[in-house]
Structure formats: C-alpha cells, structure tokens
Amino acid sequence: MNRIIGVIFTFLFFISCTQEYQPRSISDIVIKNFEIDSTSIRAIQAVDGAGVFYAGSNGSIGYTKDTGNIWNTMSLKYQDSIIPNFRSLGFNGTDYFTVSIENPALLYKIANGVATLKYQEVHENVFYDALTFFEDNVHGIAVGDPTDTCASILITADSGETWSKIPCEKLPQIIEGEAFFAASNTNIKTIGSTVWIASGGSAARILKSTDYGVTWEIFETPIIQGTGPQGIYSIDFYDPKNGIVIGGDYSKPTANNANKATTSDGGETWTLVADGKNPNYKSCVQYVPNTAGKEIFAVGKTGVSFSNDGGISWKEVSKEKYYTIQFTDRNTAWLGGNQKIGKLEL
C-alpha cells in the first residue's frame, strides 16, 4: 500500500512540475506586413490565425479571412459629407461595433457587410476612444473624453442593439484636464462582469466596475501625469487580480520614467516596474495567452518590446512601429499600424 501511495505522490508531483509554465526567451521577432492604403489602424479584432477585422481613419473598415490574400473593405460616410475616423472596435461574438472619435460621435453595428448607425452624440467636446464587449457578449461598453464632470461612458445590455450614456451622478468625477487616449482601443479591459478603464492627462487613474458599469470606484496610479500627453495609454489583465498598465509621455517618446506599473489586487494599488528602463512610451500592452501572466508584449511608435517575467524586465524585439497588438493564441498575434496590418508568429 505504501508503495502505491508513493507512486501516486510521485506521479502527482511530476504532473504539477510539468504544468508550471516556463516562459520563453525571445530576442527578436519577424512580422509579416500587409499594406492597407490611406488609413491609420489603431483598432483590430483578431479572429484567428487567418482572420482579422480592423477599423481605421477615413471611415475605413476591413477584414481578411485568408491571412491577407484577400481584403474586404468598406468606407463609411455620414450624410454624404462627414467621414468618420475610427479608433475603436468591439465584437459581440456575431457582429462588430465601432464608434467615431469626433463630433458627431457615430456608433455603428457592422453585420454581413452592412453598417447600421446605433447611436449618435453631438457635443463640441465629444471624443470616443475605445469600445469592447464583456465575456457574455450581451453587455458592451465604450469610453470617451468628458463632456461634463465625468467620463463619457456608453453601455449596452442587448448585444449592442441599443446604447445609453451613463449620467455623471452615477460615475466618479473627473479631475479637470483628465481624459482618455484613443491610441489602441486598449485603455479599457473586461473580465467577467468587471471593467477597468485607464485615464491620462492631468491624472492617471483607474475606473473600475464589477457589475457591468452599474457602480464604480476609482483608484490612483503612480504613472506619469499632469499634462495632456502624459498618462496611461493601455491596460490589460491576465486574470481578475493581476494586471499591467503602460503609457508615458507621447510628446517625449524616448522617456521611460514612471510609465509602467503592475497590480496584484485587481487594480486597487499599482507598483512601478522597470522604472527608468526600457520600454519607453508605448500605446498598447497585452499579455500573451496561456503563459501564466509571464509573457507580455508592448507596442508603439518606438517599436516592440517583450517581457517574460510579468513586466519586471523587458527586451526590445523589433523596431517596427505599431499602435496595437492582439493575440489569438500563445503563438499568433495581429498588429495594427499606419497604413499596415502585421501578423506575428512566434
């Protein structure tokens, strides 16, 4: 009996050891680029290794299902004279949604090659930055700069068929000069019923809701803040507790002080990492799926950087400029940039 117990213990110990993820050492990467004319692409939805959907400037919407051999595109206009610019893109499991950045704000549902206007907002200060859906694909959320004393937050509870703006009395007050960055569609992150939204400008803070946007809290971060181009540009969470933010000063892209921080308590407190070390300014940070929160990529106009220790240390792996990155699995990612889509295979 003791021998059997010993064999079982040894087997379980072996299994537990083999399941512990060993992060990869990556020193350089090769990205295959696809030229997309006349559009800046800051928002993508990676479908799988063969497919990606994008929304960009000049009303440009497009996708490929065959690894870029064929690109299907459309160019949206509003009332035949207004050409919207898009920096956001969400997917509810069936259809895609995007909202334009400037006045008037135009939120479209895109299904079967047809764009249908679902929400519009007219205000001199309107500027929507990001849009995403929760895991249930029923609830969705979009964030924009304040038009009043709070963030502009749109929510849907019917898979995007109708959208409404949360009134300021139900949201934390914004500090004067605090806003949000439309850099990569990643200043917002959802897991389960929880959403985190990262701000910048005069303050760099985290808005958090655990009930699909019904109630809210707000938390401070040590990220550089105080002027318009400073703050958090991107946020990601590996699980409900462990997350990372990145950004910096867009006007000083080579600076690397106070531009990266991590949390282990769901975003309530944040600790600077690699402070005074690279990477410098980045517009997007993403955990690599199924890597135990160890592997992270960050992209921006200053190149591509990689961490295999949860953001503590980093290595530049490419000098190519991209705005955003999104993984489909541990080995495959799509990237969006200026007049280009990239595909990365590790």
Side-chain angles (χ1 to χ4, degrees), residues 177 181 200-203 224-231 233 248-249 251:
F181 295 122
S202 61
I224 188 171
Q225 55 197 274
T227 65
Q230 295 178 341
Y233 282 73
D249 188 332
S251 66

Side-chain angles (χ1 to χ4, degrees), residues 20 29 60 108 175 183 258 289 321 327:
E20 182 178 351
I29 58 174
S60 180
Y108 289 95
I175 296 172
K321 301 176 181 180
F327 282 83

Side-chain angles (χ1 to χ4, degrees), residues 251-273:
S251 66
K252 299 177 181 178
T254 59
N256 54 24
N257 293 102
N259 73 318
K260 307 167 284 292
T262 59
T263 181
S264 59
D265 59 10
E268 295 187 18
T269 61
W270 296 83
T271 302
L272 291 175
V273 292

Side-chain angles (χ1 to χ4, degrees), residues 58-315:
N58 299 318
S60 180
I61 306 290
Y63 67 90
T64 182
K65 294 182 178 180
D66 60 1
T67 320
N69 291 315
I70 298 176
W71 290 91
N72 297 276
T73 62
M74 60 190 300
S75 183
L76 298 186
K77 289 184 179 181
Y78 178 68
Q79 296 180 344
D80 294 326
S81 60
I82 297 175
I83 300 176
N85 292 299
F86 302 115
R87 296 189 182 183
S88 62
L89 186 63
F91 181 57
N92 69 359
T94 304
D95 306 313
Y96 294 87
F97 292 79
T98 183
V99 59
S100 61
I101 56 174
E102 296 169 314
N103 189 24
L106 306 168
L107 194 157
Y108 289 95
K109 171 185 174 180
I110 303 162
N112 300 316
V114 177
T116 306
L117 187 63
K118 291 296 181 179
Y119 175 88
Q120 64 182 39
E121 181 179 341
V122 177
H123 192 284
E124 61 181 356
N125 295 327
V126 72
F127 197 101
Y128 279 96
D129 308 285
L131 184 154
T132 192
F133 279 82
F134 292 81
E135 292 175 357
D136 65 358
N137 289 327
V138 174
H139 295 84
I141 187 166
V143 62
D145 292 349
T147 58
D148 200 342
T149 59
C150 65
S152 294
I153 298 180
L154 306 177
I155 56 173
T156 180
D158 57 9
S159 298
E161 289 304 309
T162 59
W163 295 79
S164 60
K165 190 171 184 177
I166 301 177
C168 281
E169 54 264 29
K170 294 185 177 181
L171 288 168
Q173 283 207 338
I174 289 294
I175 296 172
E176 184 177 356
E178 185 178 10
F180 305 90
F181 295 122
S184 60
N185 198 46
T186 60
N187 66 358
I188 187 169
K189 174 66 179 182
T190 61
I191 294 179
S193 62
T194 299
V195 58
W196 299 266
I197 300 172
S199 72
S202 61
R205 302 191 292 173
I206 306 297
L207 285 75
K208 180 181 179 181
S209 171
T210 59
D211 51 14
Y212 298 112
V214 177
T215 60
W216 291 85
E217 298 176 281
I218 194 162
F219 301 104
E220 304 291 333
T221 79
I223 295 296
I224 188 171
Q225 55 197 274
T227 65
Q230 295 178 341
I232 304 169
Y233 282 73
S234 181
I235 183 170
D236 197 20
F237 273 78
Y238 188 79
D239 56 38
K241 292 293 185 182
N242 296 285
I244 187 168
V245 292
I246 203 164
D249 188 332
Y250 184 84
S251 66
K252 299 177 181 178
T254 59
N256 54 24
N257 293 102
N259 73 318
K260 307 167 284 292
T262 59
T263 181
S264 59
D265 59 10
E268 295 187 18
T269 61
W270 296 83
T271 302
L272 291 175
V273 292
D275 193 21
K277 301 178 181 179
N278 285 330
N280 40 35
Y281 163 81
K282 300 296 181 191
S283 57
C284 180
V285 63
Q286 294 285 283
Y287 285 99
V288 181
N290 302 315
T291 61
K294 298 295 184 182
E295 296 186 16
I296 308 172
F297 274 83
V299 305
K301 63 179 183 178
T302 55
V304 182
S305 292
F306 170 74
S307 172
N308 67 357
D309 55 12
I312 297 172
S313 63
W314 297 79
K315 179 178 291 186

